[in-house]
Amino acid sequence: MCGIVGYLGNSKNPKDVIISGLKKLEYRGYDSAGIAVMNEGKTKRVRASGKLKALEDKLLTEKIDGNVGIGHTRWATHGAPTERNAHPHQVRGISLVHNGIIENYVEIREALLADGATITSDTDSELVAHLIANEIDSTKDLYKAVEKTLCKIRGAFSIVVMWEQNPNQLVAFKDGPPLVVGLGSEENFVASDVQALLQYTRKFIYLDDREIVLLNGQDVSIFSANGYPLQKKAVELNWDPQMVEKQGYAHFMLKEIYEQPRAVAAAMEPHVNTEKFSVRLKNVGFGSLVNKLEDLDPAQDWIKTQEVLKGIDRIFIIACGTSSYAGMVGKYLIENIAHVPVEVDIASEFRYRNPVIPPKSLVMTISQSGETADTLAAIRLAKEKGATTLSICNVRNSTIDREAHGHLYMNSGPEIGVASTKAFTSTLTVLNCLAVAIGRIRDVISDKQEKEFVQALLSAPSQMEVVLAYDKYFDQAAHTLKQFRGFLYLGRGVSFPIAMEGALKLKELAYMHAEGYAAGEMKHGPLALIDERMAIVMLAPSDELYEKSISNLEEARARGGQVIAIGTGDNDKLKAISKYYLSLPKAHWTINPLLEAIPLQLMSYHLASSLGYDVDQPRNLAKSVTVE
Ligand code: M6R
């Protein structure tokens, strides 16, 4: 979950490329950072604990230039977030940055210590630098030394290494966490994510697991772990670097909350016919390579997609965190609209519980980053068990996207804030499209019903715009709301997962105790938690479960709970029984979750800000969880 950047070339100072790249990667980890730059075979390293800013401050007084360099922003796994544990690690002229975990590090450490090695950090990463340095003593070749080291380490890791004796080379290896090569003119780059390099290039080679890259002068060569040269195609991206800037917002999270109407429109755009009000999933590409999706014949692709979706008799949705709550909404949508049974599972459980996946199952994963380690393991397991897989990702060409049989995209644009917002509502949009498509393909819904669902979906962006007005409301209310001891988020039906998502947002941003519950479950235990210092956030849209929600709300209120109700329109009843009432536009039941998510995001954002917390980079977390 760390971020890595490497640069080799003569036209820029590696320091500038690395620092600007690390800034874009800070979402991956931010507890220490470091840089090493080589100039005529001499390496200068600067490291600092804390956020990247601490490293930048140190660099103000350091002269550091050259033609090759590596940098790292860390999310600690082995060893505290101190300067001595910060990367790059250095051993006898080798400098190395590492993202991931070395599982056999205890044995390696003991063997190195027995051999008399001087180990200067508590990390597993430094041990890899020792192993490479040992190999280089005999091979005198960085690439060969890396290749020989790979069979000695186990785990999931990406590394980038340079060596003083070979000042025109960088060697990188990936097995697990993502790594891309950026191709420039007379210069090349490596990084954990394309966002780090968009400012310099749009041309990328995505590395697959167990591939080694050798940047040698201006040449880029890629090999399999056992030394076979590989021919890999570069992909040209059309992302705009502006998309990864704050553009005047105080935080990326706030910008991303505001981007939701546009993101939701972009998520449905490929699939929805706005004249016929129908859905036709575009370029799902079952069985096709992701970088060939644009070349697909849409008619043929749709025939294949229909064939697959007709042939299934159940769906498993597998994901983590916010993506899993989106999956839970997907269950309500697909079961209600398309009548296909759906099971939702958390990836870290699914992968280890030896799941029964009957034939004719579709296993669908949801992942913004497309790199979440548990979700990736889950899709691999599902494939091993013979299932057809479909991924919903935001990051195209991410590992999960590449490994799935079929592909759908959130189309949210880069999401930088660690707390997921626009990717969540975009996923709900894609799931709406999928549910309607399956419903039609299987003749469960009529043309008329399809039209009704699509019209509802098309109205979502403008309705979301209206709900964004709660930004100002929570800016002020946050000062009062932060007095509460805890928050219970309650919802029924399709609003239940939104209650879970609301609670997660509050925990991760404001570090306050919050729980999401199915409102009907309150009387089975959680009611005991309620007193006047407990806020009850009740999602009670005017749907068929509204009356039941009101009863649950009364039960909570009778025990002293302070109610924040979110309902539809100018609802006098809800106004009367709640301390705070937030009205949402009247919407179709399928769209309510998209609208409900926004005030909950804004509430967490403002509570965290008013408590003085860093909303874009909450403590202990990282955006892309590439370790299990
Ligand atoms: O990239 P993914 O969607 O696979 O990430 C899954 C979770 O780590 C993520 O949703 C996490 O829960 C967010 N920080 C929540 O805001």
Side-chain angles (χ1 to χ4, degrees), residues 431-509:
L431 288 166
N432 258 285
C433 294
L434 180 66
V436 174
I438 302 177
R440 279 302 284 145
I441 291 167
R442 299 167 78 94
D443 274 337
V444 176
I445 54 169
S446 62
D447 277 359
K448 191 165 164 271
Q449 286 168 305
E450 178 181 27
K451 193 169 173 186
E452 185 193 318
F453 287 121
V454 173
Q455 281 173 333
L457 197 52
L458 288 169
S459 65
S462 56
Q463 291 181 312
M464 292 169 86
E465 295 278 3
V466 176
V467 185
L468 285 168
Y470 281 112
D471 182 13
K472 285 213 169 51
Y473 175 87
F474 281 115
D475 188 19
Q476 288 169 13
H479 297 282
T480 317
L481 294 176
K482 68 184 176 197
Q483 316 299 334
F484 284 111
R485 179 173 49 88
F487 288 75
L488 268 180
Y489 288 72
L490 306 177
R492 276 180 174 265
V494 80
S495 298
F496 163 45
I498 305 301
M500 307 279 285
E501 167 60 6
L504 174 63
K505 287 281 97 79
L506 194 72
K507 280 183 269 206
E508 75 177 322
L509 293 166

Side-chain angles (χ1 to χ4, degrees), residues 320-323 366-370 372 375 418-420 504-505 508 625:
C320 300
T322 290
S323 292
I366 302 176
S367 176
Q368 186 286 131
S369 60
T372 299
T375 313
V418 164
S420 187
L504 174 63
K505 287 281 97 79
E508 75 177 322
V625 186

